[in-house]
Amino acid sequence: MRTAANQLRLFGGSPAFAEKLHVGRPNIGDRKVFDRLVDGMFERRWFTNNGQLVRELESRLCDYLGVRHCIAVCNATVGLQIACHALELKGEVIVPAFTFVATAHALQWERLRPVFADIDPLTHNIDPRKIPALINDDTSAIMGVHLWGRPCETEAIDAIAEHYGLDVLYDAAHAFGCRHRGRMIGSFGRCEVFSFHATKFFNTFEGGAIATNDDAFAKKVRLIKNFGFSGMDEVNHLGTNGKMPEICAAMGLASFETIDDILAVNRTNYETYRACLDRIPGVHLISYDQLEATNWQYIILEVDDGRAGLTRDELMTVLRAENVLARRYFYPGCHRMEPYRTLFPRTLNRLPVTDRLCQRVLCLPTGTSLSPLDIETVCEIIRAAVDAASKVRKELATA
Ligand code: T4K
């Protein structure tokens, strides 16, 4: 069958794009600062276990986020597990399914049941109106995800949690450097967990942090992330190895030096996409609240196949043929992945908004490795694909 996807070959899969136009190309930070910090690390021969660089990074993070405690960890997945463990959550936790699978896995790993709530079609975040119906005697917490760095409706979530006596925590993997109502993400709920994975706005190669204003909780997190050690030969709690190594902290400190530059590039990239995608029927770039600070790290397109004339998957195929590695984040949704689809089959048909967005959302490349010209070319490909789809449709209609 003729479709726009199998007909188009626009730029011949330009080799100039190879690897450059992938979603997730890392930002590099200040290499000179990184090299200097790594030299010091080798001189001290201190590579991990709460070293000088980790402590310095934690202190910078607290200042930047305006929180009392920010505990560096090896990645956000383990960070979420440690947070759930330290909060002593039991039974069920209400969480969106439209998120990276690590959100659900962290709960399941802690033997908590993720109860998937549907999302708001505009914000893509957990829809507070869908939460109360999912609460029962086994529910212990609500875990929101600030998807694409757009903050959850924290006030509504807090009100529900207070009414039912639940804990609240946030997966803030996407939201480092973002604000909600003037307040930095990091101090909402009992705690918030950031990811500093290589693909994130702020990266430490692998890494993350648990931010909180709760002193007792922070103390417990520190115990758990270091095998439960409270002193030499003294273990006072069940623990794991959630430590961030010094080399990752060096990358974090080097990344701090370039935050403003990266923000500026991300914002320019977003504005360039927005201008170039304007008036292409059926493709719509998600927007960020101009009154709130955001990190502009995710360029998220919604494809309405009825208007665009081609599906999100067809558009992705066209882009990939041109070496533009767009991603279908977070297809097909956690509820349709294992073990959840087998464990909770009744959830499969209960998340209509999640299912619809899983078919429509496409994540486009951004970051410091792209030039405005690259972005214009990506948008030209999208425009040409939509034009070609409309032509094919017209031809088929008159055939
Ligand atoms: N919660 C949420 C909402 C999350 O999005 C994530 C992670 C987590 C929790 C857990 O955080 P961590 O435990 O990871 O700290 C990637 C990342 O691995 C993952 O961290 C991230 N979310 C997710 C959104 O994206 P994949 O499966 O897409 O990875 P992969 O290997 O396909 O790489 C993504 C793209 O980045 C590719 O186009 C290649 C490019 N890339 C990647 C790396 C690592 C590079 O160009 N250079 C690189 O060094 O998950």
Side-chain angles (χ1 to χ4, degrees), residues 136-147:
N136 61 42
D137 290 347
D138 289 336
T139 312
S140 62
I142 303 167
M143 181 150 99
V145 181
H146 305 300
L147 208 74

PDB file of all heavy atoms in Angstrom, residues 136-147:
ATOM      1  N   ASN A 136      -7.986   2.936  48.226  1.00  0.00           N
ATOM      2  CA  ASN A 136      -8.672   1.971  49.105  1.00  0.00           C
ATOM      3  C   ASN A 136      -7.835   1.803  50.375  1.00  0.00           C
ATOM      4  O   ASN A 136      -6.857   2.538  50.565  1.00  0.00           O
ATOM      5  CB  ASN A 136      -8.895   0.638  48.378  1.00  0.00           C
ATOM      6  CG  ASN A 136      -7.581  -0.001  47.971  1.00  0.00           C
ATOM      7  OD1 ASN A 136      -6.614   0.003  48.741  1.00  0.00           O
ATOM      8  ND2 ASN A 136      -7.524  -0.523  46.753  1.00  0.00           N
ATOM      9  N   ASP A 137      -8.173   0.839  51.197  1.00  0.00           N
ATOM     10  CA  ASP A 137      -7.473   0.673  52.481  1.00  0.00           C
ATOM     11  C   ASP A 137      -6.005   0.307  52.315  1.00  0.00           C
ATOM     12  O   ASP A 137      -5.214   0.470  53.242  1.00  0.00           O
ATOM     13  CB  ASP A 137      -8.164  -0.413  53.329  1.00  0.00           C
ATOM     14  CG  ASP A 137      -9.518   0.065  53.819  1.00  0.00           C
ATOM     15  OD1 ASP A 137      -9.788   1.279  53.718  1.00  0.00           O
ATOM     16  OD2 ASP A 137     -10.311  -0.786  54.273  1.00  0.00           O
ATOM     17  N   ASP A 138      -5.644  -0.218  51.141  1.00  0.00           N
ATOM     18  CA  ASP A 138      -4.238  -0.624  50.919  1.00  0.00           C
ATOM     19  C   ASP A 138      -3.376   0.502  50.355  1.00  0.00           C
ATOM     20  O   ASP A 138      -2.159   0.348  50.202  1.00  0.00           O
ATOM     21  CB  ASP A 138      -4.178  -1.793  49.915  1.00  0.00           C
ATOM     22  CG  ASP A 138      -4.700  -3.072  50.542  1.00  0.00           C
ATOM     23  OD1 ASP A 138      -4.663  -3.176  51.781  1.00  0.00           O
ATOM     24  OD2 ASP A 138      -5.168  -3.944  49.794  1.00  0.00           O
ATOM     25  N   THR A 139      -3.991   1.617  49.999  1.00  0.00           N
ATOM     26  CA  THR A 139      -3.211   2.696  49.368  1.00  0.00           C
ATOM     27  C   THR A 139      -2.345   3.399  50.407  1.00  0.00           C
ATOM     28  O   THR A 139      -2.842   3.780  51.472  1.00  0.00           O
ATOM     29  CB  THR A 139      -4.159   3.744  48.728  1.00  0.00           C
ATOM     30  OG1 THR A 139      -5.138   3.052  47.951  1.00  0.00           O
ATOM     31  CG2 THR A 139      -3.394   4.715  47.857  1.00  0.00           C
ATOM     32  N   SER A 140      -1.069   3.557  50.097  1.00  0.00           N
ATOM     33  CA  SER A 140      -0.211   4.270  51.060  1.00  0.00           C
ATOM     34  C   SER A 140       0.326   5.586  50.508  1.00  0.00           C
ATOM     35  O   SER A 140       0.751   6.446  51.281  1.00  0.00           O
ATOM     36  CB  SER A 140       0.964   3.383  51.508  1.00  0.00           C
ATOM     37  OG  SER A 140       1.776   3.039  50.420  1.00  0.00           O
ATOM     38  N   ALA A 141       0.346   5.748  49.181  1.00  0.00           N
ATOM     39  CA  ALA A 141       0.964   6.980  48.654  1.00  0.00           C
ATOM     40  C   ALA A 141       0.509   7.285  47.236  1.00  0.00           C
ATOM     41  O   ALA A 141      -0.041   6.426  46.529  1.00  0.00           O
ATOM     42  CB  ALA A 141       2.486   6.849  48.674  1.00  0.00           C
ATOM     43  N   ILE A 142       0.782   8.524  46.847  1.00  0.00           N
ATOM     44  CA  ILE A 142       0.617   8.958  45.452  1.00  0.00           C
ATOM     45  C   ILE A 142       2.011   9.359  44.971  1.00  0.00           C
ATOM     46  O   ILE A 142       2.712  10.101  45.666  1.00  0.00           O
ATOM     47  CB  ILE A 142      -0.318  10.187  45.357  1.00  0.00           C
ATOM     48  CG1 ILE A 142      -1.686   9.882  45.976  1.00  0.00           C
ATOM     49  CG2 ILE A 142      -0.462  10.650  43.903  1.00  0.00           C
ATOM     50  CD1 ILE A 142      -2.549  11.119  46.213  1.00  0.00           C
ATOM     51  N   MET A 143       2.380   8.830  43.807  1.00  0.00           N
ATOM     52  CA  MET A 143       3.674   9.246  43.241  1.00  0.00           C
ATOM     53  C   MET A 143       3.403   9.931  41.897  1.00  0.00           C
ATOM     54  O   MET A 143       3.041   9.279  40.920  1.00  0.00           O
ATOM     55  CB  MET A 143       4.585   8.040  43.049  1.00  0.00           C
ATOM     56  CG  MET A 143       5.931   8.405  42.505  1.00  0.00           C
ATOM     57  SD  MET A 143       7.189   7.266  43.077  1.00  0.00           S
ATOM     58  CE  MET A 143       7.322   6.201  41.698  1.00  0.00           C
ATOM     59  N   GLY A 144       3.569  11.245  41.871  1.00  0.00           N
ATOM     60  CA  GLY A 144       3.412  11.981  40.615  1.00  0.00           C
ATOM     61  C   GLY A 144       4.720  11.970  39.840  1.00  0.00           C
ATOM     62  O   GLY A 144       5.785  11.744  40.407  1.00  0.00           O
ATOM     63  N   VAL A 145       4.607  12.206  38.544  1.00  0.00           N
ATOM     64  CA  VAL A 145       5.811  12.328  37.696  1.00  0.00           C
ATOM     65  C   VAL A 145       5.691  13.667  36.976  1.00  0.00           C
ATOM     66  O   VAL A 145       4.690  13.906  36.306  1.00  0.00           O
ATOM     67  CB  VAL A 145       5.869  11.188  36.645  1.00  0.00           C
ATOM     68  CG1 VAL A 145       7.132  11.313  35.792  1.00  0.00           C
ATOM     69  CG2 VAL A 145       5.793   9.818  37.300  1.00  0.00           C
ATOM     70  N   HIS A 146       6.682  14.534  37.137  1.00  0.00           N
ATOM     71  CA  HIS A 146       6.639  15.822  36.427  1.00  0.00           C
ATOM     72  C   HIS A 146       7.135  15.568  35.001  1.00  0.00           C
ATOM     73  O   HIS A 146       8.302  15.867  34.669  1.00  0.00           O
ATOM     74  CB  HIS A 146       7.555  16.846  37.102  1.00  0.00           C
ATOM     75  CG  HIS A 146       7.294  17.060  38.567  1.00  0.00           C
ATOM     76  ND1 HIS A 146       6.098  17.513  39.071  1.00  0.00           N
ATOM     77  CD2 HIS A 146       8.111  16.915  39.653  1.00  0.00           C
ATOM     78  CE1 HIS A 146       6.183  17.644  40.386  1.00  0.00           C
ATOM     79  NE2 HIS A 146       7.391  17.273  40.762  1.00  0.00           N
ATOM     80  N   LEU A 147       6.249  15.048  34.175  1.00  0.00           N
ATOM     81  CA  LEU A 147       6.677  14.599  32.842  1.00  0.00           C
ATOM     82  C   LEU A 147       7.104  15.768  31.959  1.00  0.00           C
ATOM     83  O   LEU A 147       6.434  16.795  31.927  1.00  0.00           O
ATOM     84  CB  LEU A 147       5.529  13.835  32.188  1.00  0.00           C
ATOM     85  CG  LEU A 147       5.983  12.788  31.182  1.00  0.00           C
ATOM     86  CD1 LEU A 147       6.576  11.581  31.887  1.00  0.00           C
ATOM     87  CD2 LEU A 147       4.838  12.353  30.300  1.00  0.00           C
TER      88      LEU A 147
END
